[in-house]
Amino acid sequence: MAVNALAYTGLAVGVIGTPGPANMILLATGARYGLRRALPFVAGVALGKQFVIWPVGLGLMSLMVRYPAVFDAMRWASAAYILWLAWTIAGTRLSTTEAGGDVPGFAQGLIVHPLNPKAWALMVAGFTNYVEPGTSALVATATLAAITFGVQAISHPIWCAGGAQLARLVQGTRYERALMILLALLTVASVLLVLAKG
């Protein structure tokens, strides 16, 4: 009765560190506002995944098996929200040095992962593949929650800082609009990929 923490860490690094809806949003936020101004949002995004991990670990998995249609509906609704975010990203213009503008804050960051199909897919995979049967739900959930948060604490600021660096390269150039459209398209592609796998 245990959690295969090392193997799950590998999965978490692979899933959290690669392009997906949350990372594209972090990249776009960093590009628009810079890492320093976006840090509350980044913290909210990282903490928000806990709202996925704990319910899944403490019983939602059994409900998913019993009522799959409800969770399919949630998955599609989540995808619709992420696609709406992609639409707003496409229309965004870069201004990391501009003092004004409504920077998304901690509260906005909290809802990114609960509405992210990739986050749910990671946690379902984590609990079904890396937790041995009979392991305490509390121990398993706390272990996966700690590992996931640790990986996010490193990965999410990197994605946001990468966006800020991209902005410095293209802000005010003819490539600015193309970058934001590309980020939006990558967000859409990542959502479609997750839905196709589901």
Side-chain angles (χ1 to χ4, degrees):
M1 293 189 291
V3 177
N4 190 337
L6 186 60
Y8 175 74
T9 300
L11 174 72
V13 168
V15 173
I16 293 168
T18 55
N23 288 336
M24 292 302 101
I25 291 165
L26 287 163
L27 195 69
T29 302
R32 176 76 171 101
Y33 301 105
L35 175 61
R36 186 183 60 78
R37 293 177 69 198
L39 276 177
F41 177 74
V42 174
V45 173
L47 189 60
K49 192 170 272 183
Q50 300 296 315
F51 294 122
V52 176
I53 297 169
W54 287 92
V56 170
L58 298 179
L60 207 51
M61 287 288 292
S62 62
L63 285 176
M64 287 177 164
V65 172
R66 199 174 312 159
Y67 305 106
V70 173
F71 289 93
D72 280 342
M74 285 175 54
R75 194 165 57 104
W76 285 98
S78 298
Y81 170 76
I82 298 294
L83 293 175
W84 174 80
L85 286 178
W87 175 259
T88 63
I89 288 170
T92 299
R93 292 297 157 262
L94 304 176
S95 60
T96 58
T97 58
E98 191 178 281
D102 293 331
V103 183
F106 182 77
Q108 289 92 343
L110 283 177
I111 65 170
V112 170
H113 279 306
L115 296 174
N116 177 0
K118 188 179 177 187
W120 289 91
L122 170 63
M123 297 327 306
V124 169
F127 282 103
T128 56
N129 295 305
Y130 300 96
V131 176
E132 291 182 13
T135 304
S136 159
L138 183 60
V139 169
T141 305
T143 302
L144 296 190
I147 292 169
T148 303
F149 186 79
V151 173
Q152 289 177 290
I154 296 167
S155 175
H156 286 354
I158 290 172
W159 276 99
C160 192
Q165 291 301 318
L166 278 174
R168 287 188 187 94
L169 292 173
V170 302
Q171 183 177 344
T173 72
R174 60 190 174 123
Y175 303 109
E176 179 179 349
R177 180 164 170 76
L179 171 65
M180 300 316 286
I181 290 172
L182 176 63
L183 291 177
L185 290 174
L186 288 171
T187 303
V188 170
S190 66
V191 169
L192 295 177
L193 183 64
V194 170
L195 291 175
K197 288 181 177 179

